[in-house]
Amino acid sequence: MKKILLATSALSLMAGAAAAEVSISGSARMGLLYNGEDVNFTSRARVQFTASGETDTGLAFGYSVRADQAGDANDGMGAGSVFISGAFGKLSMGDVA
């Protein structure tokens, strides 16, 4: 019982420490593509997830990833980006170009 109480107390303390603002956006297209010989149908839909926030101690953090890149972002293959910044500067990883 003590372990459960300690774990829930720690979770409740961390819950208010850092909350992120999350935004969702996206785009879609459809049409015909002529490659010089043939006409083909083409379509694409993308969803972009972006979040940022600040801890009580002043550290800023955030991430950005597109849904069509979700697998690569999980592997750190340059498809998404994550950052943390503070008085020390900014540390970013992933597709930051």
Side-chain angles (χ1 to χ4, degrees):
M1 182 67 175
K2 289 181 182 180
K3 290 181 184 180
I4 294 172
L5 180 59
L6 181 60
T8 56
S9 298
L11 278 174
S12 65
L13 288 174
M14 289 190 313
E21 296 284 331
V22 179
S23 66
I24 301 172
S25 62
S27 64
R29 71 169 190 222
M30 64 181 235
L32 300 172
L33 179 65
Y34 179 66
N35 65 5
E37 296 178 13
D38 297 321
V39 176
N40 297 306
F41 293 106
T42 180
S43 65
R44 178 180 73 192
R46 290 183 173 166
V47 178
Q48 174 85 25
F49 298 92
T50 307
S52 63
E54 188 171 325
T55 66
D56 291 342
T57 59
L59 292 175
F61 61 91
Y63 72 87
S64 177
V65 66
R66 283 194 336 230
D68 64 337
Q69 300 169 332
D72 288 338
N74 192 39
D75 295 337
M77 300 296 288
S81 63
V82 178
F83 76 89
I84 187 166
S85 64
F88 56 87
K90 183 175 184 178
L91 175 63
S92 300
M93 297 181 82
D95 186 6
V96 296

